[in-house]
Amino acid sequence: SPQGRSKKKSRKHQRFMERRALLEQKGLLSPRGRLGSRTPVEGSEAHAALTKANGTTALRCGKVPKPKRVVSASLSPSASPDSIARHHSVLLSQGSASAKKVRTSSLVLRPGKYVAIDCEMVGTGPEGRLSELARCSVVNYEGDVIYDKYVQPELPIVDYRTRWSGITKQHMKRAIPFKAAQAEILKILKDKIVVGHAIHNDFQALKYFHPKDRTRDTSQIPVLKQRAGLPIRANVSLKNLARHLLHKKIQVGCKGHSSVEDAQTAMELYRLVEVQWEKELACSLPPRPPSPVTDPTADSNQYMDDQYWPTDLMASGL
């Protein structure tokens, strides 16, 4: 009969409320999370939404303004590159004022998330035609050196290429074995977004492949060439980009290149077009997977059934 079903439902609801009270007592459930209740409005919004009427508190009639979507100016240091790029894109889409938030977000993440690298190679093998790593430098977002060591190639050096590499026989006296250097460097690069110029050459010398979405190659970015007034399809050297955009001279003299200076210059170029570059990358990222859709036919009352409760709670005697 309807009365019997009502009593059965009432008993079931009573068991449900007793179990909920037990969860709240154990700290597994917030008292505010009761079924059918709404999370109270906090702060000034609560005072604005409530009014006194006949000695009682009642909600105001009329429309309640929707809260504005707030995007945090900072992200977790463990945020993925995709999340960083999309975060920047959202901020940029909110107007010029949010561009400052992109910079703030970047500064929070860069010290542990972004590095720039440059390697110097020497010639080994037949006639010195093989290129092997002889020095590697890594700098952080601010340009501070976090790694700079000379590396002993696996094969005997035939050509030091001093004019370009800056490497001499004297440097090799304090060089460490390639395998040891490789392990140290890859540990630094792990989970980082790596900046460099013609960076594929550096990765090749390290015998390593870095994920494409975590690589920022300043030799492949049209916006840098556009700013420098150079053809987009031209192969532009780091030296020329530095001269046109940073107004500085690098790789001068007969002592060869400095991998520290080159890594710092690559990072400076990245920072120069960082906002626009990350925005373009965010637009090129694949769309996010759709959020799971809740089945509209599902009834919350079904979760009052015994089958949905943990066995340890069932054994408590409720």
Side-chain angles (χ1 to χ4, degrees):
S1 65
Q3 186 177 1
R5 285 197 299 270
S6 177
K7 289 182 178 180
K8 183 177 179 181
K9 185 175 181 180
S10 177
R11 288 195 298 270
K12 184 181 289 187
H13 181 70
Q14 185 178 2
R15 291 200 307 272
F16 169 78
M17 296 303 295
E18 289 173 348
R19 289 168 182 162
R20 176 174 288 279
L22 178 61
L23 287 173
E24 293 175 358
Q25 184 179 357
K26 290 187 174 183
L28 300 176
L29 188 65
S30 171
R32 294 186 301 173
R34 296 183 181 278
L35 187 64
S37 65
R38 293 185 178 180
T39 303
V41 183
E42 297 180 357
S44 59
E45 293 183 5
H47 295 285
L50 298 176
T51 182
K52 298 287 184 177
N54 298 326
T56 61
T57 302
L59 286 174
R60 284 180 180 174
C61 297
K63 294 183 179 180
V64 178
K66 293 183 179 179
K68 294 182 179 180
R69 182 182 179 187
V70 179
V71 180
S72 174
S74 62
L75 292 172
S76 167
S78 60
S80 68
D82 287 4
S83 299
I84 297 169
R86 288 194 178 96
H87 176 71
H88 289 178
S89 180
V90 170
L91 291 175
L92 288 165
S93 67
Q94 295 176 348
S96 58
S98 295
K100 294 181 180 179
K101 294 182 181 180
V102 172
R103 180 66 62 178
T104 303
S105 169
S106 299
L107 290 173
V108 171
L109 294 164
R110 292 303 184 275
K113 200 70 181 178
Y114 280 60
V115 295
I117 189 173
D118 188 76
C119 298
E120 300 297 343
M121 278 72 82
V122 293
T124 63
E127 300 181 7
R129 292 180 179 177
L130 294 178
S131 293
E132 288 199 56
L133 182 67
R135 183 185 180 186
C136 181
S137 302
V138 183
V139 302
N140 62 14
Y141 181 77
E142 302 297 336
D144 300 322
V145 178
I146 57 179
Y147 188 90
D148 181 30
K149 290 186 180 182
Y150 291 94
V151 183
Q152 182 67 52
E154 295 180 303
L155 296 176
I157 299 176
V158 177
D159 184 357
Y160 283 93
R161 303 178 183 175
T162 306
R163 180 181 175 185
W164 299 278
S165 69
I167 306 294
T168 64
K169 187 176 182 179
Q170 193 71 17
H171 291 134
M172 290 297 103
K173 291 182 179 181
R174 59 179 186 271
I176 65 173
F178 172 78
K179 290 294 184 182
Q182 183 190 48
E184 293 174 351
I185 297 164
L186 298 192
K187 186 176 181 180
I188 295 173
L189 302 187
K190 183 181 179 182
D191 298 327
K192 302 291 194 305
I193 294 181
V194 186
V195 180
H197 192 84
I199 201 170
H200 60 279
N201 293 323
D202 302 307
F203 291 150
Q204 186 175 4
L206 286 167
K207 299 181 180 179
Y208 168 71
F209 175 79
H210 198 68
K212 185 177 180 181
D213 65 327
R214 299 186 181 189
T215 302
R216 305 290 186 267
D217 191 339
T218 54
S219 70
Q220 301 294 324
I221 304 305
V223 64
L224 281 172
K225 300 174 186 179
Q226 289 174 349
R227 285 202 180 192
L230 301 170
I232 294 179
R233 296 185 179 181
N235 292 322
V236 184
S237 67
L238 183 66
K239 183 177 181 178
N240 284 336
L241 285 176
R243 179 165 57 88
H244 283 90
L245 298 176
L246 304 176
H247 308 292
K248 60 185 282 189
K249 294 181 179 180
I250 64 171
Q251 303 174 355
V252 295
C254 57
K255 292 185 178 181
H257 302 178
S258 166
S259 52
V260 169
E261 183 180 54
D262 289 355
Q264 291 172 334
T265 302
M267 183 61 83
E268 284 185 68
L269 289 170
Y270 167 76
R271 293 175 61 176
L272 189 66
V273 295
E274 173 186 6
V275 173
Q276 184 175 351
W277 193 351
E278 293 297 339
K279 182 180 180 181
E280 292 175 358
L281 286 174
C283 293
S284 66
L285 289 172
R288 288 182 177 180
S291 301
V293 179
T294 304
D295 184 2
T297 62
D299 186 356
S300 60
N301 289 333
Q302 64 177 303
Y303 297 109
M304 294 169 61
D305 293 341
D306 294 343
Q307 60 178 313
Y308 292 102
W309 292 91
T311 54
D312 60 332
L313 293 179
M314 294 295 296
S316 64
L318 291 177

